[in-house]
Amino acid sequence: MKKKIRIGTRKSDLSVAQTMLVVNAMKAAFPDTEFELVCRSTVGDKILDKPLLAFGGKGVFVSEFEEALLRGEIDFAVHSAKDLPMELAKGLEIIGVMPRGDVRDVLVTMNRKRQGNGEVIRIGTSSLRRKIQIEALGEKLWPEQAVVCENLRGNVLTRLDKLEQGLYDGIILAAAGLERLDIRNQRPGRYQFHYLSPEEMIPAGGQGILAVEGRKGDAVNEIARAVSDPAAMEALWAERLVLKLLGSGCHEPVGVYCQREGNCLHMTGIYERDGVRRKEEIWEFDKEAGASCWERAASRLADRLLGRQSEEEKEPGCVYLVGAGPGDEGLLTVRGAQLLSCCGCVIYDHLASEKLLNYAAADCERIFVGKQKGRHSRKQEEINEILVEKARQHAVVVRLKGGDPYVFGRGGEEVLALEAAGIPYEVVPGVTSAIAVPASAGIPITHRQLSRSFHVITGHTKADGGLPEDFYHLGDCKGTVVFLMGVSQLGAICRGLMDQGWDRATPAAVIQNGTLPAQKEVRGTLENIEERAKAAQIGTPAVIVAGETAGLRFLSGRRRPLEGVRIGITGTDGFSSRLRGLLESKGASVQAVCRMEVVPIRSQEVLNSYEHLDRYTWLVFTSGNGVRLYLDGLLGLENGCRGDGQESAPRDLRCLGGRKLAVIGRGTEEALREYHLRADYVPEIFSSRQLALGLAERLTAKDQVLIPRALQGSKELTGILEQAGICCCNLPIYDVKAVEGAGRREEEEEFDFLIFGSASGVAAFFETGHRPGQAKLCCIGEATAKALQRYGYQADCAAGEATVQGITEKILEQAQASCQEGM
């Protein structure tokens, strides 16, 4: 342990007196250690004619000492905790605090002197917090007189001198400072002291606390920790947390005071922003003493001061029971799609196609509660509890249910649970499989000449899994009968209908995975449909239809070129949605696999590129994402790349003047046109290699090239340019990563084709546990195909043109070739 400890402090009388309190405590604990004060004047001590906010805020009393700590010139610095900024210098921390002094503010006036000129009371203070509170107290303290706050800077004695000179009718000082300077005995009989309780004037965060700042991990820190007061440290931590959550310091009027009363934590705060002032109080019962309870209380107080309700206090959100339809995502209602796009949580079951989840935002919470016969993921009671719990966390919750919520979907039970919990709800009807699935097989549910009614029956009951009582009253039914969830009871259904007088030759059909690409159907009569269904290995989910209309087949002979082809896409939502539209228009069934997201890289290098654009003669973009992120950052728009934690004045498009623009292909060119810019060069073949070769022909060694692009961008582009003697700057501005939860799930669909939109997508696909199975592999370009090779797979095709149109053309070629091979 060092024998001599150097402690930094300001030169004012109060700062020295306060630091000596710390030194004396340390001497008592470490009598063999020598302590030396290092006194310095700070920027805040030198500039006294301006409010703190005009030249830096709280940090102006601290920065000199933080620099001295980092240089090793001092071991500790002692501060009034309320003077500490929210963010300390990197490598420094608050090591310890002394027991808290008097937290109150004091209104000081001259003894036996009449205050004010009869109309205005002039109060000296530099604190916005004190200003808004003393003005509110003015009517009580000085009836029928206006209170005006005027700027007052300087140390305690300087401020008292200005009061004596008549420059102010009163000044506000901290009680702890007056006590530590012993002002009553230093200047006896001069002043009147009106102590303002914390209820009348909420103190500043950390008021009354002396904080010792030091270097993280330094061995001398044990000296400060030995004299640190746990209660004061707890209160300071909580008060600073409230200020941090408010995003404040002294830039806005804010006060916060935390204290423990037995097992209860009591926090009060006042805050004014945009002319709105809030004063709030929080009580938190501390079941298990510790920081978590303070953190919870601080979060609640900050929420209230910002005009928000905390999670525990806010009104529950609304649960929407949305019918997902029979499976085909195109049969989801527009209302259902709208709710999915804005919900904070979606709770879905097995019967809903997982493609529907693509309508939800990337950060939407997804909870699978699906049920299948023989293995229940969740009990209905659990699902009810989840609905109530999530409604208290999210404004909009979607309960996505196969078909229609009220057609054997147990929607009624969930509504009763929501009503019992006081949760608002709305039911959004869905297309029921009872009608849609037969229609997908060409079976009309009614027909004027054959069936004027239809009946929908569940294939099993809740009690014993047998057929419901209503089934045994179908003997006189002349219409169509549809059974849901009844495949395991198919034989009993057919025999029961025949026993009730139905003709054995009555047409019947069983349709599995209706409306989906994997749809499979078997036709027959009541007499032989069970045998045929077993031979075809029909499974769940399936719909059974019996009646004269089951003998009809109303289907057009027209087929689209990708009819029945199942395609999985690995890529970002933007890429997948553009490609999906093209492929589905050709008849394909498309599903996102291992969804990806674009993550901006906010670095100092990006910021520097904005400030030094004049260095470059060419800007080269290899993707629409690169165009949007870089230009949005340049223009100061919300979604752009900016320096992390750095400020830079936004610019406009004039700063691009004189620079030429190159893009890799049509999609990137279209992104550039969104900013009313046109590319000077687009290669005829849309690939990194052709872009590089074309630029190498056009540029000279005098050119400087900036390439804002993905972190995993092709090295071929920069390699070719460098070989040609052209100076280029590769600037990573975004990464493409797998969305959380994008790993392989059980029963994931097998595909005929898998499409990879980027090399990073290939890596994410394999690293999250996916495997291609028997699917043919298609890549957007050569770089993506090479990434596939690194995992031991060869691409079956690569788009000649690195666009969604190019990929679609390759899929069509491959599908046609496969069809001809199978002839």
Side-chain angles (χ1 to χ4, degrees), residues 33-53:
T33 302
E34 182 184 350
F35 295 88
E36 177 186 348
L37 264 60
V38 178
C39 299
R40 296 184 178 181
S41 293
T42 66
V43 173
D45 296 315
K46 297 172 183 176
I47 302 176
L48 300 177
D49 58 344
K50 297 179 181 179
L52 287 177
L53 294 184

Side-chain angles (χ1 to χ4, degrees), residues 189-203:
R190 298 191 195 182
Y191 314 115
Q192 289 183 350
F193 301 95
H194 185 99
Y195 285 80
L196 302 168
S197 71
E199 290 74 32
E200 292 176 303
M201 182 172 285
I202 297 174

Side-chain angles (χ1 to χ4, degrees), residues 95-141:
I95 307 299
V97 298
M98 297 298 291
R100 192 167 205 167
D102 195 331
V103 301
R104 293 176 295 176
D105 287 292
V106 183
L107 172 65
V108 184
T109 58
M110 293 303 297
N111 197 15
R112 297 181 301 275
K113 181 178 179 180
R114 184 175 179 272
Q115 297 167 18
N117 58 11
E119 295 180 359
V120 176
I121 298 293
R122 295 166 301 155
I123 301 298
T125 179
S126 61
S127 164
L128 296 176
R129 170 189 64 86
R130 287 169 171 164
K131 178 179 183 295
I132 64 170
Q133 294 187 89
I134 197 66
E135 288 175 351
L137 284 169
E139 186 174 339
K140 173 184 173 182
L141 297 172

Side-chain angles (χ1 to χ4, degrees), residues 312-544:
E312 296 87 350
E313 298 167 325
K314 67 182 182 183
E315 291 294 320
C318 185
V319 175
Y320 295 85
L321 283 77
V322 175
D328 181 348
E329 64 173 316
L331 296 178
L332 176 70
T333 63
V334 172
R335 174 70 168 152
Q338 290 172 338
L339 290 168
L340 278 170
S341 69
C342 67
C343 71
C345 176
V346 56
I347 301 162
Y348 63 101
D349 60 32
H350 178 77
L351 296 179
S353 168
E354 291 200 8
K355 293 183 188 178
L356 299 174
L357 299 180
N358 293 332
Y359 287 98
D363 60 350
C364 173
E365 184 178 6
R366 293 165 166 83
I367 302 175
F368 175 67
V369 294
K371 301 187 294 293
Q372 280 185 288
K373 184 176 175 60
R375 55 186 184 96
H376 293 261
S377 176
R378 303 272 189 170
K379 294 181 179 179
Q380 186 60 49
E381 292 74 15
E382 289 181 84
I383 296 173
N384 295 346
E385 291 174 2
I386 291 171
L387 291 174
V388 172
E389 176 189 352
K390 295 304 172 182
R392 290 180 174 146
Q393 297 176 8
H394 301 280
V396 177
V397 176
V398 168
R399 171 67 172 111
L400 196 61
K401 303 175 70 67
D404 179 271
Y406 284 160
V407 180
F408 305 133
R410 303 184 76 169
E413 296 175 47
E414 294 175 1
V415 162
L416 289 174
L418 293 170
E419 286 188 339
I423 304 295
Y425 63 89
E426 178 183 323
V427 176
V428 180
V431 177
T432 174
S433 58
I435 297 173
V437 170
S440 70
I443 300 174
I445 198 73
T446 64
H447 188 283
R448 183 174 182 182
Q449 296 174 346
L450 299 176
S451 173
R452 291 176 177 266
S453 65
F454 67 91
H455 302 262
V456 181
I457 308 290
T458 180
H460 64 273
T461 63
K462 179 179 177 181
D464 57 11
L467 294 170
E469 181 62 31
D470 291 346
F471 171 77
Y472 300 100
H473 299 281
L474 295 174
D476 295 329
C477 172
K478 303 299 183 184
T480 305
V481 180
V482 179
F483 296 89
L484 305 182
M485 300 174 291
V487 172
S488 62
Q489 298 277 17
L490 180 57
I493 289 171
C494 293
R495 288 189 293 274
L497 289 174
M498 290 186 289
D499 289 344
Q500 293 182 61
W502 282 55
D503 192 313
R504 295 176 180 275
T506 301
V510 184
I511 306 130
Q512 178 185 352
N513 292 321
T515 76
L516 296 171
Q519 177 172 312
K520 186 178 181 180
E521 64 183 83
V522 172
R523 304 247 187 173
T525 65
L526 290 179
E527 186 175 32
N528 61 24
I529 193 67
E530 180 185 14
E531 180 181 348
R532 292 187 177 186
K534 286 181 179 178
Q537 297 182 330
I538 293 291
T540 60
V543 171
I544 302 167

